[in-house]
Amino acid sequence: MHARPDADEVELLARSQSGDVSAFNELVLRYQSSVYNVALRMLGDADLAADIAQDTFLSAFRHLATFRGGTAFRSWLLRITTNLVYDHWRRQRRHPDESLEAARDEDDPQSPVTLAQLASPALEANPELYLLHQELQELIQRGLAELPPEQRLAVILCDIEGLPYEEIATVTHTTLGTVRSRIARGRARLRTYLARYQELLPRQFRSP
Amino acid sequence: MAQDHQEHLTLEQLSAYLDGALSSEEEAFCAAHLPHCASCRSELASLRLTRDLLRALPRATPPRAFTLTPELLRTSSTPEWQESVTSDTSAAAEEPVALSAPLPSALSPQRRQLRPTDGAGARRQNLRRVVRVLSALAAVIALALLLSGLLTSLRGGSSSTMSTAVQRAAEASATPPFAQQEGPVRTPAAATEGPRGVRPGSTGTPASASSTAEKQPDRNLAALPEAALSTPAERLLLGGLLLIVALIGLLMTRKARSPSWPGHDQDEANRQAAH
């Protein structure tokens, strides 16, 4: 269930903790997709997500000493990622004028993920799922953005990252019961949101 | 909704059922209930559709590798931020929102350039704040000058010779604006005392005024060169000029980013002149 604590990873971690950057970079390559995708789905902004991902690994490397083997390394990383995301929102709230200005720099502040960024290894792995057209992808991303942050995070970790409930509880520092409730409420809310756009959904996804 | 009836499954149960995350007891309960309950089945189906849509979202490939380079490790050393992140990750906080915020410099270098809060931006903000305060101060002094100029010109403007007593009175009358700032209670007293306090015992009035306003910056005013302020017209002129400078300063700092700071220098010069 938990991210496999394979011997390889244990060794890489030990080497990283003794300051071996190249060992740590192997771990980066292993987990960067998870970290980046969580940040991307939380924020809906590719540039920002890349910055958060980079900062996650920088911070993780600096604090490897505080990482205790008890939890999965992925959970630890994702917790740093979500903290950085929350920090970003806090900063934004504190300096709304600046974030507005920063937004004006970009063409479209809410610019959802573009199709080019969405290569589809997941679909090759799941041939029964066909590519959701871009309009629908953007709709889902907007729906996610409508969720309260803690529900959004739970749904992303569960349905997009495929984490088990136990690991989500570790990442979000909550109980299993809270995780369960957040996922349920998040899904229900997203369902209500998507139901408004029935015509965009593929036939097989329309409510009966 | 399903929760309305006791016998129906809850939203949480249905959602967890999808993930196989129920206890074996609950799971058995759900499995037994669903075949007999169309409402719960349809609820479950709609939740499943939502989940499948989320699962069908393609994963994004990271735009670059986030591997650490010597440059990255060298560039951003941010002690406070590190502190915040470590304590965050190990703290048993219920909500991540409640955790302490890092410094803005936590962002990667390329982001940093976009954000005006950091480095030079912060310094500029401080400078802007200083200019704002100075401008506000200048505005207050300017108003005091204008007021005193007006009062003296109304009162004794016609008389060709200005006695020192009148001058003192004018200076004393400059207090009301400051008194208003400190507290409205003082205003009437200062206002009545000012103009009427034209006494030969000329030290009396300013002394009492200064006793009420020890912290007030208008002592600068009293110390202004008498030659420069001997006539109401000059006071009005100087007050007007100062007011204009103050307004420019305030406006510029409001418009914010433009890094042209002549107003600041002028303010500084004016203050120095006032001393």
Side-chain angles (χ1 to χ4, degrees), chain A residues 123 126-133 136-137 139-140 190-208, chain B residues 42-58:
Chain A
L123 288 165
N126 305 287
E128 76 275 11
L129 294 172
Y130 56 88
L131 183 65
L132 302 179
H133 57 86
L136 180 54
Q137 288 178 27
L139 179 70
I140 298 172
L190 195 62
R191 170 189 62 189
T192 313
Y193 181 83
L194 293 175
R196 281 188 259 152
Y197 303 91
Q198 287 278 332
E199 72 284 356
L200 283 179
L201 305 185
R203 185 174 302 278
Q204 74 201 68
F205 287 121
R206 288 185 201 165
S207 305
Chain B
S42 107
E43 178 88 353
L44 182 68
S46 69
L47 283 175
R48 179 176 280 130
L49 289 178
T50 310
R51 186 199 61 176
D52 289 350
L53 275 174
L54 283 164
R55 284 189 175 179
L57 276 178

Side-chain angles (χ1 to χ4, degrees), chain B residues 158-191:
Chain B
S158 52
S159 70
S160 55
T161 56
M162 292 262 288
S163 71
T164 50
V166 174
Q167 257 177 278
R168 295 287 184 193
E171 275 163 18
S173 71
T175 43
F178 295 107
Q180 272 168 353
Q181 277 207 326
E182 294 256 313
V185 192
R186 214 174 276 163
T187 317

Side-chain angles (χ1 to χ4, degrees), chain A residues 3 9 31 34 72-79 161 163-164 167:
Chain A
E9 180 165 313
Y31 292 113
S34 284
F73 184 56
R74 177 173 66 172
S75 316
W76 189 70
L77 279 178
L78 288 177
R79 177 141 177 83
E161 282 308 302
L163 264 58
E167 197 175 342

Side-chain angles (χ1 to χ4, degrees), chain A residues 87-143:
Chain A
D87 284 339
H88 167 76
W89 281 330
R90 242 192 314 259
R91 211 157 37 235
Q92 220 174 19
R93 220 174 306 139
R94 221 178 298 140
H95 308 286
D97 53 326
E98 280 160 19
S99 57
L100 271 182
E101 248 173 59
R104 251 180 271 129
D105 291 345
E106 295 149 28
D107 297 340
D108 179 2
Q110 295 297 319
S111 79
V113 193
T114 60
L115 196 56
Q117 287 155 342
L118 297 167
S120 49
L123 288 165
E124 283 152 28
N126 305 287
E128 76 275 11
L129 294 172
Y130 56 88
L131 183 65
L132 302 179
H133 57 86
Q134 191 178 0
E135 211 180 350
L136 180 54
Q137 288 178 27
E138 287 171 4
L139 179 70
I140 298 172
Q141 180 63 48
R142 279 202 301 278

Side-chain angles (χ1 to χ4, degrees), chain B residues 244-260:
Chain B
I244 289 166
V245 169
L247 285 179
I248 290 172
L250 283 173
L251 277 177
M252 263 189 16
T253 47
R254 182 154 305 170
K255 292 280 178 199
R257 313 286 176 208
S258 63
S260 52

Side-chain angles (χ1 to χ4, degrees), chain A residues 25 32-33 37 51 54-55 59 62-63 80 83 87 90 98 101 119 161 165 173 180-182 187 191, chain B residues 12 15 19 46 59-60 66 68 76 82 85-86 88-89 91 95 97 99 102 106 108 111 117 257:
Chain A
N25 279 339
Q32 63 177 5
S33 174
N37 272 280
D51 286 343
Q54 187 66 79
D55 285 341
S59 167
R62 295 221 172 87
H63 302 99
I80 298 179
N83 280 332
D87 284 339
R90 242 192 314 259
E98 280 160 19
E101 248 173 59
E161 282 308 302
Y165 281 28
H173 249 289
R180 204 165 104 160
S181 135
R182 285 179 182 171
R187 280 174 179 163
R191 170 189 62 189
Chain B
E12 280 189 29
S15 166
D19 300 318
S46 69
R59 283 180 76 78
F66 298 118
L68 303 186
S76 42
Q82 291 176 19
V85 171
T86 18
D88 283 2
T89 43
E95 281 296 329
V97 193
L99 299 166
S108 303
R111 195 81 197 162
T117 15
R257 313 286 176 208

Side-chain angles (χ1 to χ4, degrees), chain A residues 48-65:
Chain A
L48 202 50
D51 286 343
I52 297 278
Q54 187 66 79
D55 285 341
T56 298
F57 290 113
L58 259 177
S59 167
F61 184 71
R62 295 221 172 87
H63 302 99
L64 264 186

